[in-house]
C-alpha cells in the first residue's frame, strides 16, 4: 500500500505553534499535529518536519515527542514572514509531498500560507485532506474531507501540497523523553520582516452575536435527520462532462450572482 | 559410624554451596541501578524490623504468625546449633538439649504449615511450595534423631547390628541431604526458602526505611528528568524499561516475595477480573531479572491470561514479552497490596516506575490518558476547562482570595472538584461549615492548578513536577498556617509529594484533610452541630485509599460521624483493609476492561451492611460510587452530612 521504494517519496510536514482555545496557551496545533501524523504514516523515519520561528519554543518538543529524530527550524523573528523562508527551503529540497494544517491557531491565521506557497512552487493544492490512501513516485490517491463525514477520492500527481482536515487521523501522544532528545537543526536566515503585517493594528475580536438556535424537531428521529441530512439548499450543481469554458462560465456567473465581482 | 564424618561434610558442602548461591543471587540484584543505603545501620536494624514491623503485618493472621514464629524461629536457632554441634562437633549437653528444643519447636510449627497445605486457599502458590512443609518436618525429625546421642539420650555406642546401622545411615543421610538441600541450597538458589535470605536483606536495605518503626512513607519518588543538558541523566530514558532500570534494592525486594498471595486477595483489579495480580507481577519481575520464563509459576494467573508464555531477561524491555502494559494500567494505586504484604514489598512503586517508561518514553498511555495529559499540560486541569473558570463555583460564596488578602489562617485548597458540579456540592458544604465556625479562610482562586496527582499516577512525572513547582511558587507568595482540602489525592500530593522541589512554601504549614480539620473545630467547640436523625437507617463509612492507607487518617471521619450521634455499621473491609472505589491511579481514564466494575463490588460491600447511606471523604469516591446503578444507598461526603446539621443560633443568642 505504502511506497514500494521506501525513500522514493519525500514528505515534508510544516508545523506551527498552536494556541489552546480555553487557556490561550501554546500547544501542538491540532491540524499540524495531524499533518505530522500523516507524514509519519507515509514516510516513517524519513519525514522532514519544518517550523519557521523560534528554535527555543518548547512546543516544538511536543511535535518531536511524536517520535521524530530531528526537526528543522528556519529561524525567524515573531514579526517575520514565513512564506519566503519556506519557499527557499522547499525549492532547494527534493520534497514532493508537502503537508500542513489548514490554518494556524495563532498569529494571522489567514489560512493563506498553503495557497501562496503552492502558487510560488507551482504545485497543485489539495485542501482539507482526510487521508492519503496510496502513494507512489508519480501519483497519490487522496481522500478529501467533505461535510458530514463524506469523502471524495481524487488522484493527484506528485509533487503536491495538501492541507490536513480535522477528519484526518488524530496526532499520536507526544512522549517527553524522545521529544527532549530530538535534534533541532537550526537554519539561520536573513531577517525578512513582513512589512505589511507590522503596519497593522491588532485588537481583540469582538464575539459576533450568535443566531438563536430554534429547535424545530419534535422527536429524536427528526433531530437525527437534521444533524445528518445533506444540506437542502439546491443551489449547487455538479458539472462533469461540460467543456472547461462552460465550467468557467458557470463559476463566473455564480460569482456575479453572489456579488463577489461586479 | 560413617555419619560421624558424612554429616559434617554434608553440612559444610551445602553451606558452601549456599554461600556460592548467595553471591550469585546478589550479583543478579546488582544489575539494578545504584541506590544509596546505609549498610551497617540497615543490617543492625534488621532483626528489629523483622520482629516488630514485619511481624506486625503477619500478626493480622494469628494462625500464620504463630506458625511462622515457631517454624522460622525454631529453624534459625536449630541451624545455628546444628553448625555448632554437628559441624564443629562441640560436645556440650546443654547445646544438644537446646538443639532438641529448637527442633521440637520447629516441628510443631511445621505441622501447622503442613496442615495449612492440605487444602490450601487459592491465593497460595502451589508447586515447590507444597513440598516445603514436608522438608521442614524431615529436617526437624532427622536432626532430632541425629542429636539424640549428643544429648546423651542414646548411648554413643548404640548399635542395631551391622545391617541395621547401614540402613539407618543411608536413610538418615538421604533425609539430611533432602532437608538441607531445601533449607540451605534452596535458600540461595531460588527455592521457596529464598524468601528468608532475600527477605532479611530486603528488610535491611529497604528503599523506604521510614516505613519501619510505625512510620509511613507513601509519596512516590521523583524521576530525575533529563531535560537539563548538564545533568548526569541527560539523554537517558525515563522510568523503568528493563529490569536493570530498577534500583538494585527494588530487585532485592521482588526476590523477598513468599507468594502468600495476601496481595492477590485484596487487589481490587484482580477481583474485578482485570489482568492484574500483584503476586504474579512480582514473580514476573523476578523472572525478569533472573531471566527465563514464568513456566514454573504455580499461583493464580493474571485473570484470563495464560501462564507460561511470559519471557524476560535483565536487559529486555519488560512490556515486550514479560508482562502486558494492560497489567500495569489496571492498577488503581490503592496500596492495598503494599499494606498487606508481610515482606513489605513496594508493588505500587514498581508499577508506576514502569508506567513512567510507557508514558514518558513510548507515549502509550491508553484510552483517554493521552488526552487527559494533554489537557493538564495546556490548561492545568484534566478536562481541558478554561483556567479562568476555576473559581466560577464560588461566585456566590463570598470567599476571600489569596491574591487580595496575602495572609490568612486557613488556605482552602479547592482542587479540580471546582469544575465538577457534583463535587461543587461538597465544596459548598465545606465552605458553609467553615463560615459557621468563623474560620479565617481564603482560596487561591484561579492561581490554583491541578495538584498533579493524575499526571503522576499516569506516569507523566515531568508534568507532575512542573505543576508541583508552579503550585509551590504560588503558595510561597502567601502566609497561612494551615492548608485544608476536601480531596485526599491533592492532600496526599501536598503533604507527601511536594517536598524535594527546593521550596519551603509548605514549611511549618499543617496540611490537613477536611475531615481532620472539621474534627478539630468540633473538639475546640467552634462548630456546633445537631444530632443526625437517620430515621432508623444505617450509615456506613468508606475509607478513601489516599486518606486511609496513604495518610493513616481513619479516626477523624469516624469521630465526626460519631459526634452527630451516628453509629457506623462498618463494612467487613474497612480501615486499612478498605476496598478501593476504583477511581485512583488514573484507572477510570485508562479504563482497562475486566469482568466486573470495582465500584460495583464496593457498593456490594456497602449494601451488605444494610446501610442506606454511605459517608465518604473524597470527591473521586463519590463520583465512582454514585456511578453505580440504582437502587443503591445514597452517597454523601462527610462535609455534606455535617453541613445539614449546623445548629442555627436562636434569636436571643445572637451577639
Amino acid at each position: 500500500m505504502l511506497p514500494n521504494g521506501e525513500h522514493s517519496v519525500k514528505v515534508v510536514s510544516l508545523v506551527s505553534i498552536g494556541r489552546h482555545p480555553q487557556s490561550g496557551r501554546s500547544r501542538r496545533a491540532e491540524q499540524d499535529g495531524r499533518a505530522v501524523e500523516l507524514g509519519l504514516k507515509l514516510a516513517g523515519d524519513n519525514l522532514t518536519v519544518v517550523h519557521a520561528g523560534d528554535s527555543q519554543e518548547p512546543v516544538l518538543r511536543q511535535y518531536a515527542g511524536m517520535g521524530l529524530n530531528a526537526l528543522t527550524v528556519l529561524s525567524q523573528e515573531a514579526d517575520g514572514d514565513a512564506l519566503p523562508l519556506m519557499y527557499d527551503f522547499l525549492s532547494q529540497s527534493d520534497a514532493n509531498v508537502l503537508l500542513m494544517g489548514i490554518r494556524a491557531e495563532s498569529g494571522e491565521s489567514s489560512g493563506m500560507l498553503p495557497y501562496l506557497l503552492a502558487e510560488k512552487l507551482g504545485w497543485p493544492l489539495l485542501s482539507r485532506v482526510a487521508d492519503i490512501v496510496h502513494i507512489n513516485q508519480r501519483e497519490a490517491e487522496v481522500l478529501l474531507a467533505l461535510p458530514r463525514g463524506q469523502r471524495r477520492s481524487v488522484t493527484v500527481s506528485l509533487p503536491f501540497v495538501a492541507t490536513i482536515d480535522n477528519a484526518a487521523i488524530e496526532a499520536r501522544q507526544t512522549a517527553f523523553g524522545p521529544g527532549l532528545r530530538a535534534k533541532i537543526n537550526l537554519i539561520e536566515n536573513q531577517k525578512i520582516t513582513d512589512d505589511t503585517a507590522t503596519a497593522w493594528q491588532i485588537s481583540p475580536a469582538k464575539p459576533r452575536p450568535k443566531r438563536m438556535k430554534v429547535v424545530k424537531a419534535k422527536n429524536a428521529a427528526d433531530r437525527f435527520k437534521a444533524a445528518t441530512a445533506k444540506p437542502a439548499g439546491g443551489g449547487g450543481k455538479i458539472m462533469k462532462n461540460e467543456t472547461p469554458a462552460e465550467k468557467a462560465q458557470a463559476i463566473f456567473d455564480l460569482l456575479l450572482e453572489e456579488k463577489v465581482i461586479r | 559410624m560413617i555419619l560421624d564424618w558424612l554429616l559434617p561434610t554434608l553440612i559444610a558442602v551445602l553451606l558452601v554451596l549456599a554461600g556460592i548461591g548467595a553471591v550469585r543471587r546478589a550479583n543478579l540484584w546488582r544489575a539494578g541501578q545504584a541506590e544509596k543505603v546505609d549498610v551497617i545501620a540497615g543490617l543492625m536494624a534488621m532483626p528489629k524490623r523483622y520482629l516488630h514491623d514485619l511481624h506486625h503485618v503477619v500478626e493480622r493472621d494469628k494462625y500464620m504468625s504463630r506458625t511462622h514464629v515457631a517454624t522460622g524461629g525454631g529453624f534459625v536457632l536449630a541451624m545455628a546449633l546444628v553448625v555448632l554441634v554437628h559441624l564443629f562437633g562441640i560436645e556440650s549437653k546443654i547445646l544438644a538439649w537446646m538443639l532438641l528444643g529448637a527442633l521440637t519447636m520447629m516441628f510443631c510449627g511445621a505441622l501447622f504449615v503442613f496442615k495449612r497445605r492440605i487444602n490450601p486457599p487459592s491465593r497460595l502458590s502451589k508447586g515447590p511450595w507444597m513440598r516445603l512443609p514436608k522438608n521442614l518436618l524431615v529436617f526437624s525429625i532427622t536432626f532430632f534423631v541425629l542429636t539424640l546421642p549428643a544429648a546423651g539420650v542414646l548411648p554413643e555406642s548404640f548399635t542395631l547390628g551391622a545391617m541395621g546401622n547401614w540402613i539407618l545411615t543411608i536413610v538418615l543421610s538421604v533425609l539430611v541431604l533432602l532437608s538441607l538441600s531445601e533449607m540451605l541450597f534452596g535458600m540461595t538458589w531460588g527455592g521457596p526458602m529464598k524468601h528468608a535470605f532475600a527477605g532479611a536483606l530486603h528488610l535491611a536495605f529497604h528503599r523506604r526505611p521510614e516505613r519501619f518503626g510505625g512510620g509511613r512513607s507513601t509519596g512516590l519518588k521523583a524521576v530525575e528528568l533529563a531535560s537539563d543538558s548538564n545533568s548526569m541523566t541527560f539523554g537517558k530514558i525515563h522510568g523503568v524499561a528493563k529490569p536493570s532500570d530498577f534500583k538494585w534494592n527494588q530487585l532485592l525486594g521482588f526476590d523477598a516475595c513468599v507468594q502468600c498471595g495476601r496481595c492477590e486477595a485484596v487487589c481490587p483489579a484482580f477481583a474485578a477480573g482485570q489482568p492484574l495480580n500483584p503476586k504474579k507481577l512480582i514473580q514476573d519481575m523476578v523472572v525478569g531479572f533472573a531471566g527465563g520464563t514464568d513456566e514454573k509459576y504455580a499461583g493464580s494467573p493474571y485473570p484470563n491470561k495464560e501462564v507460561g508464555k511470559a519471557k524476560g531477561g535483565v536487559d529486555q524491555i519488560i512490556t515486550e514479552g514479560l508482562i502486558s502494559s494492560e497489567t500495569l494500567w489496571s492498577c488503581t494505586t490503592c496500596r492495598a497490596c503494599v499494606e498487606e504484604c508481610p515482606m513489605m514489598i513496594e508493588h505500587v512503586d514498581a508499577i508506576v516506575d514502569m508506567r513512567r517508561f510507557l508514558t514518558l518514553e513510548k507515549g502509550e498511555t491508553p484510552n483517554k490518558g493521552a488526552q487527559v495529559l494533554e489537557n493538564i499540560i495546556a490548561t492545568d486541569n484534566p478536562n481541558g476547562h478554561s483556567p479562568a473558570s476555576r473559581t466560577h463555583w464560588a461566585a456566590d460564596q463570598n470567599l476571600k482570595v489569596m491574591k487580595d488578602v496575602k495572609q490568612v489562617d486557613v488556605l482552602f485548597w479547592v482542587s479540580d472538584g471546582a469544575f465538577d458540579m457534583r463535587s461543587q456540592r461538597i465544596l459548598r458544604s465545606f465552605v458553609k461549615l467553615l463560615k459557621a465556625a468563623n474560620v479565617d479562610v481564603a482560596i487561591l482562586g484561579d492561581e490554583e492548578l491541578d495538584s498533579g496527582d493524575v499526571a503522576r499516577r499516569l506516569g507523566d512525572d515531568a508534568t507532575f513536577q512542573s505543576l508541583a513547582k508552579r503550585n509551590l511558587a504560588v503558595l510561597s507568595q502567601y502566609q497561612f498556617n494551615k492548608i485544608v482540602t476536601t480531596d485526599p489525592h491533592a492532600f496526599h500530593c501536598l503533604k507527601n509529594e511536594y517536598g524535594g522541589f527546593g521550596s519551603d512554601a509548605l514549611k511549618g504549614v499543617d496540611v490537613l484533610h477536611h475531615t481532620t480539620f472539621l474534627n478539630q473545630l468540633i473538639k475546640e467547640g467552634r462548630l456546633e452541630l445537631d444530632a443526625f436523625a437517620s430515621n432508623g437507617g444505617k450509615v456506613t463509612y468508606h475509607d478513601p485509599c489516599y486518606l486511609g492507607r496513604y495518610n493513616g487518617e481513619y479516626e477523624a471521619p469516624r469521630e465526626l460521624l460519631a459526634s452527630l450521634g451516628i453509629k457506623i455499621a462498618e463494612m467487613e473491609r474497612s480501615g486499612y483493609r478498605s476496598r478501593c472505589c476504583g477511581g485512583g491511579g488514573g484507572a477510570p481514564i485508562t479504563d482497562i476492561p475486566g469482568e466486573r466494575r470495582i465500584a460495583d463490588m464496593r457498593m456490594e460491600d456497602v449494601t451488605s451492611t444494610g446501610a442506606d447511606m454511605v459517608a465518604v471523604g473524597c470527591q473521586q469516591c463519590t463520583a465512582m460510587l454514585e456511578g453505580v446503578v440504582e437502587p443503591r444507598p445514597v452517597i454523601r461526603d462527610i462535609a455534606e452530612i455535617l453541613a445539614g446539621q449546623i445548629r442555627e443560633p436562636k434569636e436571643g443568642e445572637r451577639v
Side-chain angles (χ1 to χ4, degrees):
Chain A
M1 187 185 109
L2 289 182
N4 26 6
E6 280 98 70
H7 311 300
S8 53
V9 186
K10 176 115 200 248
V11 184
V12 174
S13 293
L14 303 187
V15 296
S16 63
I17 306 304
R19 182 178 176 279
H20 194 277
Q22 295 298 334
S23 66
R25 210 177 288 169
S26 296
R27 66 157 179 181
R28 186 166 58 143
E30 214 31 46
Q31 293 166 348
D32 292 346
R34 287 167 204 260
V36 175
E37 183 65 46
L38 188 55
L40 285 170
K41 176 190 152 187
L42 296 178
D45 283 348
N46 295 310
L47 174 71
T48 308
V49 176
V50 182
H51 170 71
D54 178 11
S55 63
Q56 298 299 312
E57 172 58 59
V59 172
L60 293 179
R61 299 286 171 191
Q62 293 186 19
Y63 286 109
M66 293 171 73
L68 310 177
N69 297 323
L71 213 128
T72 305
V73 174
L74 314 174
S75 91
Q76 179 189 252
E77 306 283 320
D79 59 353
D81 188 355
L83 182 63
L85 300 186
M86 293 285 192
Y87 173 72
D88 286 348
F89 176 82
L90 290 166
S91 53
Q92 281 161 29
S93 81
D94 53 353
N96 41 21
V97 176
L98 180 59
L99 308 174
M100 67 188 89
I102 295 167
R103 62 168 70 217
E105 293 175 357
S106 57
E108 279 172 43
S109 190
S110 65
M112 285 299 286
L113 183 76
Y115 291 93
L116 296 171
L117 208 48
E119 184 188 37
K120 266 195 145 183
L121 290 164
W123 296 2
L125 178 120
L126 298 172
S127 82
R128 298 197 173 269
V129 166
D131 198 5
I132 296 180
V133 190
H134 185 95
I135 194 162
N136 60 29
Q137 277 147 300
R138 279 172 294 108
E139 54 182 30
E141 190 188 330
V142 180
L143 283 184
L144 300 183
L146 301 180
R148 291 167 211 279
Q150 299 177 87
R151 301 283 182 270
R152 175 180 294 146
S153 172
V154 296
T155 305
V156 61
S157 60
L158 268 47
F160 66 93
V161 181
T163 64
I164 309 302
D165 191 80
N166 284 350
I169 189 165
E170 212 175 317
R172 67 189 64 183
Q173 184 178 358
T174 172
F176 177 79
L180 212 59
R181 289 188 293 270
K183 226 181 113 199
I184 290 201
N185 300 322
L186 183 64
I187 300 182
E188 294 286 353
N189 290 287
Q190 275 180 302
K191 193 177 174 228
I192 307 173
T193 317
D194 189 342
D195 294 323
T196 335
T198 39
W200 290 342
Q201 264 194 9
I202 295 177
S203 60
K206 279 198 200 103
R208 273 200 294 185
K210 268 191 195 146
R211 186 181 292 275
M212 288 252 285
K213 200 179 170 192
V214 185
V215 181
K216 289 188 190 125
K218 287 274 188 289
N219 53 34
D222 286 349
R223 278 193 293 276
F224 182 73
K225 227 179 267 170
T228 54
K230 283 186 185 176
K237 79 183 142 180
I238 296 170
M239 304 175 78
K240 275 184 179 162
N241 302 320
E242 289 81 350
T243 64
E246 280 170 333
K247 287 177 183 168
Q249 185 62 45
I251 294 171
F252 186 71
D253 289 347
L254 179 74
L255 293 176
L256 271 181
E257 190 185 314
E258 296 285 333
K259 296 189 176 117
V260 178
I261 49 176
R262 288 162 204 268
Chain B
M1 225 159 102
I2 298 172
L3 271 181
D4 289 342
W5 61 265
L6 185 60
L7 185 59
T9 316
L10 272 178
I11 297 173
V13 167
L14 281 165
L15 274 174
V16 169
L17 280 177
I20 296 171
V23 173
R24 285 172 55 107
R25 204 75 202 171
N27 273 331
L28 290 180
W29 305 328
R30 279 159 50 103
Q33 303 295 308
E35 169 98 330
K36 254 204 169 140
V37 292
D38 195 337
V39 176
I40 308 285
L43 286 172
M44 300 278 281
M46 192 249 284
K48 188 167 170 250
R49 288 176 181 179
Y50 171 74
L51 292 169
H52 180 260
D53 301 281
L54 186 143
H55 196 70
H56 176 76
V57 182
V58 182
E59 185 84 335
R60 292 172 188 168
D61 181 352
K62 289 271 188 312
Y63 176 99
M64 212 39 231
S65 76
R66 282 168 199 161
T67 303
H68 193 261
V69 166
T71 324
F75 168 69
V76 171
L77 193 58
M79 197 59 227
L81 291 167
V82 161
V83 169
L84 294 181
V85 174
H86 293 293
L87 181 63
F88 297 137
I90 297 174
E91 285 182 28
S92 153
K93 278 204 174 155
I94 300 169
L95 283 183
W97 276 102
M98 277 170 68
L99 178 52
L100 287 181
L103 288 165
T104 313
M105 182 159 96
M106 182 180 169
F107 177 76
C108 294
L111 273 182
F112 283 98
V113 183
F114 186 80
K115 190 179 150 222
R116 193 169 73 141
R117 285 281 164 180
I118 292 172
N119 197 2
S122 68
R123 64 180 170 88
L124 290 178
S125 288
K126 317 295 184 303
W129 296 86
M130 296 305 276
R131 67 165 197 248
L132 181 62
K134 293 169 202 155
N135 283 330
L136 290 171
L137 289 172
V138 168
F139 179 90
S140 49
I141 295 168
T142 312
F143 278 92
F144 194 88
V145 171
L146 286 170
T147 312
L148 286 177
V153 178
L154 287 178
E156 295 277 349
S157 55
F158 174 78
T159 49
L160 295 166
M163 195 59 181
N165 250 347
W166 269 108
I167 293 173
L168 185 67
T169 304
I170 290 169
V171 168
L172 282 176
S173 311
V174 168
L175 292 180
V176 164
L177 188 65
L178 238 149
S179 57
L180 275 184
S181 299
E182 179 77 278
M183 305 308 289
L184 295 179
F185 182 71
M187 187 179 279
T188 56
W189 291 79
M193 283 306 292
K194 184 186 70 179
H195 79 273
F197 164 62
L201 294 177
H202 169 57
L203 286 181
F205 308 132
H206 200 282
R207 193 153 173 244
R208 294 177 180 272
E210 311 85 19
R211 279 186 71 190
F212 301 105
R216 197 171 288 281
S217 167
T218 53
L220 291 174
K221 311 223 178 248
V223 164
E224 228 179 296
L225 297 179
S227 41
D228 179 11
S229 55
N230 300 321
S231 145
M232 290 285 285
T233 54
F234 184 69
K236 288 211 179 136
I237 62 145
H238 302 85
V240 166
K242 301 169 284 191
S244 55
D245 293 332
F246 281 113
K247 304 286 181 202
W248 72 271
N249 49 2
Q250 283 180 289
L251 298 181
L252 166 60
F254 302 145
D255 233 2
C257 176
V258 294
Q259 303 197 33
C260 66
R262 286 189 184 197
C263 49
E264 168 187 322
V266 294
C267 177
F270 180 76
Q274 289 172 283
L276 171 64
N277 173 352
K279 181 174 87 175
K280 173 79 163 69
L281 180 94
I282 297 301
Q283 286 314 304
D284 281 350
M285 295 297 105
V286 175
V287 167
F289 74 76
T293 72
D294 67 341
E295 275 169 332
K296 293 201 187 99
Y297 175 71
S300 328
Y302 298 124
N304 299 319
K305 299 241 168 176
E306 218 180 312
V307 171
K309 297 275 165 69
K311 237 197 267 178
V314 71
D315 280 318
Q316 278 169 33
I317 306 274
I318 293 170
T319 45
E320 291 170 8
L322 187 57
I323 55 179
S324 80
S325 54
E326 277 190 338
T327 296
L328 300 176
W329 296 112
S330 295
C331 176
T332 66
T333 68
C334 75
R335 231 181 138 76
C337 49
V338 183
E339 180 75 36
E340 208 67 14
C341 179
M343 302 307 286
M344 312 194 106
I345 297 169
E346 297 281 346
H347 312 65
V348 176
D349 282 357
I351 288 175
V352 175
D353 279 343
M354 291 184 275
R355 283 185 180 185
R356 284 169 173 170
F357 171 70
L358 291 177
T359 294
L360 292 175
E361 293 297 331
K362 305 274 277 185
E364 285 174 1
T365 323
N367 285 325
K368 291 282 169 196
Q371 198 187 330
V372 164
L373 291 174
E374 206 159 314
N375 282 336
I376 295 177
I377 291 168
T379 62
D380 302 321
N381 68 76
N383 292 315
H385 295 291
S386 163
S389 65
R390 187 176 276 276
T391 326
H392 284 183
W393 70 276
D396 56 349
Q397 298 294 307
N398 199 19
L399 277 169
K400 288 187 279 188
V401 178
M402 272 316 232
K403 206 192 250 174
D404 305 329
V405 292
K406 311 279 184 209
Q407 197 171 358
V408 78
D409 180 31
V410 175
L411 172 61
F412 174 24
W413 185 274
V414 177
S415 89
D416 290 335
F419 295 105
D420 173 59
M421 290 175 82
R422 174 65 185 91
S423 306
Q424 287 169 6
R425 302 216 306 260
I426 303 173
L427 299 177
R428 289 202 196 93
S429 301
F430 183 54
V431 171
K432 194 174 166 193
L433 289 162
L434 292 174
K435 285 187 176 157
N438 279 322
V439 176
D440 178 25
V441 64
I443 56 172
L444 284 173
D446 292 345
E447 285 189 295
E448 189 185 302
L449 313 174
D450 177 89
S451 63
D453 168 72
V454 169
R456 180 163 246 199
R457 289 343 110 175
L458 287 179
D460 190 349
D461 221 47
T463 302
F464 167 79
Q465 292 185 21
S466 149
L467 288 166
K469 284 176 193 158
R470 287 185 289 143
N471 273 325
L472 285 166
V474 169
L475 289 171
S476 65
Q477 299 167 26
Y478 307 122
Q479 308 259 306
F480 45 91
N481 302 320
K482 295 189 179 82
I483 182 162
V484 181
T485 176
T486 53
D487 175 5
H489 295 263
F491 170 55
H492 170 66
C493 284
L494 288 167
K495 190 169 175 217
N496 304 318
E497 297 192 341
Y498 271 24
F501 290 110
S503 166
D504 45 14
L506 292 172
K507 210 175 183 183
V509 172
D510 267 349
V511 183
L512 300 172
H513 185 246
H514 72 307
T515 53
T516 316
F517 182 62
L518 290 170
N519 199 28
Q520 285 178 5
L521 290 180
I522 288 186
K523 282 189 174 161
E524 289 165 12
R526 291 171 67 186
L527 194 58
E528 295 203 1
L529 301 171
D530 289 326
F532 181 79
S534 60
N535 299 326
K538 279 193 198 167
V539 178
T540 188
Y541 170 67
H542 164 75
D543 288 275
C545 309
Y546 277 75
L547 183 61
R549 275 188 292 271
Y550 273 83
N551 287 293
E553 183 59 279
Y554 303 110
E555 288 314 310
R558 290 182 166 78
E559 285 179 19
L560 279 174
L561 292 173
S563 74
L564 295 178
I566 294 174
K567 269 191 81 179
I568 302 169
E570 290 283 5
M571 285 181 266
E572 195 189 320
R573 286 185 60 176
S574 65
Y576 71 84
R577 275 209 173 128
S578 170
R579 195 208 293 263
C580 179
C581 69
I589 296 163
T590 53
D591 199 22
I592 302 300
E595 288 154 3
R596 282 170 292 277
R597 290 182 66 247
I598 296 174
D600 289 348
M601 296 190 299
R602 188 53 173 165
M603 194 49 89
E604 278 164 28
D605 294 350
V606 172
T607 35
S608 68
T609 64
D612 50 16
M613 176 156 94
V614 52
V616 291
C618 170
Q619 62 205 23
Q620 190 71 23
C621 298
T622 309
M624 292 306 288
L625 294 176
E626 281 196 344
V628 177
V629 287
E630 292 190 318
R632 49 148 174 75
V634 294
I635 295 107
R636 290 283 177 276
D637 192 275
I638 289 186
E640 293 179 287
I641 301 174
L642 261 56
Q645 306 308 120
I646 295 175
R647 185 175 295 163
E648 301 290 338
K650 297 196 185 80
E651 278 305 310
E653 289 174 1
R654 214 176 283 268
V655 188

